[in-house]
Every structure is written in structure tokens, then in C-alpha cells.
Amino acid sequence: MAVILSVVKRKPKWSVFLLTFVLLFGSFRYFDETQNKLLYEFPEKYVTASGVIYSSAITNETEYKNRYVLKLDSVTYQDMVVKTNQKILLNTKEDFHFGAKVVASGFLNEIDGINNENEFDFSLYYKGKGILARLTAQDIRQTGIAFSLMPEFLAGKVRDIADGIIDTHFRGVNSAFLKSIVTGNKGGFS
């Protein structure tokens, strides 16, 4: 606001107008990207999401033992189809590799935040990574394998191949330790 007032008081120069425009545009874009439009559209609804697995499995000791990042192509609720490129967390019982195209059905929920004081805030952590919702898959199937020349996709594919090579030669804690050092995949630790 101070920038706009200083521009109005002085003789305007085009560079100041351009700077102001870029500042305002960036602020609106940031605000737009941090809004969870998908969750607002389908809160607590049973949806069918199709997309590509964009991470290695993070395993845990719950019923839905694997957690992946799913880059969405579309979300369907009844007859309404929404095309999107947002990322969500996908909890499932099935095992998939990076780049697998999947169709999953389940409830779209918000990521839990802080429950107790001084606890880690998962919702803020995932929001920083651009992940704003999670889907627990009741029904899931693989429909193919994706390939892209985007650097993010290629880096993930290389990490997945390295994880597979480490798993063929090592087991248990040794495998988890090597994967955490080489690829950054800390999912093997309890």
C-alpha cells in the first residue's frame, strides 16, 4: 500500500508502475496457489481421482501401509469432473512404483494439523510442498505407466530406480540407511 501511495504522490514512472504490477500479481498468485480449491469443491466427499504417482512409498504400520504423492489429472464426483494438476497424499494398501498411472476412489480429506502444543504441524509441512489434501483409497487400480521429460519427473524416476537397486542388494535397516543417504527416502525407518 505504501508503494502505491508513493507512486500516486510523485510523478509516475513506468518502471514503478511495472514494479507495482509485478508485486500485486505475485501476491494474488501466491494467495491463489495456497488455497485448497479441490478440498473446497469436494469436502469429505467420496471421489474418484486419477493421476500419476510422484514419489516412492513411505511405509507405516497402519492398515493403509503405503503413502504416496499423487499428481492429479482429474477428480470425479458423481457426474462432475474437475481437471487439475494439484498434488495430494494417497494412502493405500497397494504397492506402486514412481510414474504409475492410477485411478483411486475414496474420501478426500484435509491433512491434520497440530493436535497438541509443540507438536509437528504436518499440514503446514505439506502445504509448503504444494500438497493440500489427502485421499485414503478404498478402491485403486493401475491404468498404465507415465513418462515425462520434466526435470521433477526424471529426478523422481532416477531416485526410484536407485531405491530398487539398493533393495535388491540390501535388506532391513541397511537398505533403509543407504536409501536415506543416497536418495533421501527416509520411509524405511520406523
Side-chain angles (χ1 to χ4, degrees):
M1 195 61 154
V3 173
I4 295 171
L5 290 175
S6 68
V7 168
V8 171
K9 288 181 181 179
R10 297 182 183 164
K11 291 183 180 181
K13 294 183 180 180
W14 289 107
S15 60
V16 176
F17 277 127
L18 181 63
L19 177 66
T20 305
F21 176 74
V22 168
L23 180 69
L24 290 173
F25 180 74
S27 299
F28 287 125
R29 184 167 178 226
Y30 173 77
F31 179 75
D32 183 55
E33 287 183 3
T34 58
Q35 299 304 306
N36 194 349
K37 293 180 221 145
L38 191 62
L39 192 60
Y40 294 143
E41 193 116 3
F42 308 113
E44 305 283 327
K45 304 276 185 184
Y46 190 82
V47 299
T48 301
S50 65
V52 178
I53 301 288
Y54 252 66
S55 70
S56 298
I58 298 171
T59 57
N60 55 29
E61 300 299 321
T62 62
E63 179 184 0
Y64 296 95
K65 63 179 182 157
N66 293 322
R67 179 183 303 146
Y68 300 97
V69 174
L70 180 67
K71 186 170 185 181
L72 295 171
D73 294 327
S74 66
V75 177
T76 307
Y77 174 68
Q78 294 175 347
D79 292 334
M80 191 165 91
V81 177
V82 174
K83 299 283 185 192
T84 183
N85 61 355
Q86 283 186 319
K87 293 178 184 174
I88 62 170
L89 285 181
L90 174 67
N91 296 326
T92 181
K93 299 174 186 176
E94 305 296 323
D95 294 323
F96 294 106
H97 288 286
F98 184 93
K101 290 182 180 179
V102 296
V103 175
S105 297
F107 289 96
L108 194 61
N109 296 315
E110 204 171 353
I111 296 175
D112 297 331
I114 297 176
N115 293 330
N116 296 319
E117 187 177 345
N118 300 325
E119 191 176 74
F120 185 74
D121 189 356
F122 285 101
S123 65
L124 190 60
Y125 170 75
Y126 283 117
K127 189 175 186 179
K129 292 181 170 272
I131 301 168
L132 302 171
R134 67 181 160 83
L135 179 86
T136 302
Q138 308 295 323
D139 178 40
I140 189 168
R141 68 183 190 286
Q142 183 171 346
T143 60
I145 297 175
F147 183 77
S148 173
L149 293 176
M150 298 296 290
E152 180 184 24
F153 185 87
L154 292 175
K157 195 67 173 167
V158 168
R159 274 194 305 271
D160 189 54
I161 291 169
D163 283 348
I165 292 170
I166 290 170
D167 282 338
T168 59
H169 296 290
F170 298 96
R171 295 279 177 239
V173 176
N174 295 332
S175 171
F177 182 70
L178 275 174
K179 285 194 289 188
S180 69
I181 291 173
V182 174
T183 65
N185 180 1
K186 298 179 281 282
F189 290 112
S190 62

